[in-house]
Amino acid sequence: MINLVAAWIGFLLGGISGAVPGLFFYRYDWLGGYTSWPRRMIRLGHIAFFGIGFLNLGMGLTMLMLGIESATASALLLTGAAAMPLLCYLSAFKPAFRHLFFIPAGSVILSILLFIERMVQS
């Protein structure tokens, strides 16, 4: 159930994180222009809320449908859902944070692997 709640929170934050910068997107030079590092990272953070939100939605619904649970996979996916957008926004203004992207990416990948394993076992 926590993954379903996390999914909808992710969708809400994705909407907010798109609406706020959307107020400035019309300015060609905003954050250094369309292809600048800060602007790309802000867009990636916005999309990460939705993308990992959809993964949480899929995991939550699959758990309900199959009557299974995987606390570790769930916790890893929640870690990725929180860490990925956070690192995107931090990296936008302090590029050295990009070196930490292995944390959310690894969390999401390991979560999916563990969840697949749990589905196959049941």
Side-chain angles (χ1 to χ4, degrees):
M1 184 63 128
I2 188 74
N3 293 95
L4 294 176
V5 173
W8 287 103
I9 290 171
F11 299 152
L12 174 64
L13 293 174
I16 293 167
S17 69
V20 172
L23 298 172
F24 307 100
F25 280 160
Y26 72 93
R27 291 178 28 204
Y28 180 77
D29 63 341
W30 184 65
L31 290 177
Y34 187 76
T35 60
S36 71
W37 172 262
R39 198 158 164 175
R40 286 183 294 150
M41 293 311 297
I42 285 175
R43 286 195 311 266
L44 184 59
H46 157 68
I47 294 304
F49 279 122
F50 284 107
I52 300 177
F54 279 116
L55 291 175
N56 269 301
L57 185 66
M59 180 180 281
L61 292 175
T62 302
M63 281 194 251
L64 286 175
M65 187 178 79
L66 298 179
I68 62 173
E69 191 172 320
S70 179
T72 304
S74 179
L76 285 167
L77 192 53
L78 295 174
T79 299
M84 184 62 81
L86 176 65
L87 282 174
C88 288
Y89 290 111
L90 290 172
S91 295
F93 301 103
K94 294 282 186 184
F97 279 103
R98 76 185 190 282
H99 298 293
L100 298 176
F101 273 106
F102 72 92
I103 295 169
S107 294
V108 169
I109 292 167
L110 187 55
S111 171
I112 293 168
L113 288 171
L114 290 173
F115 192 63
I116 290 170
E117 178 185 40
R118 179 68 182 103
M119 285 191 304
V120 169
Q121 289 176 353
S122 62

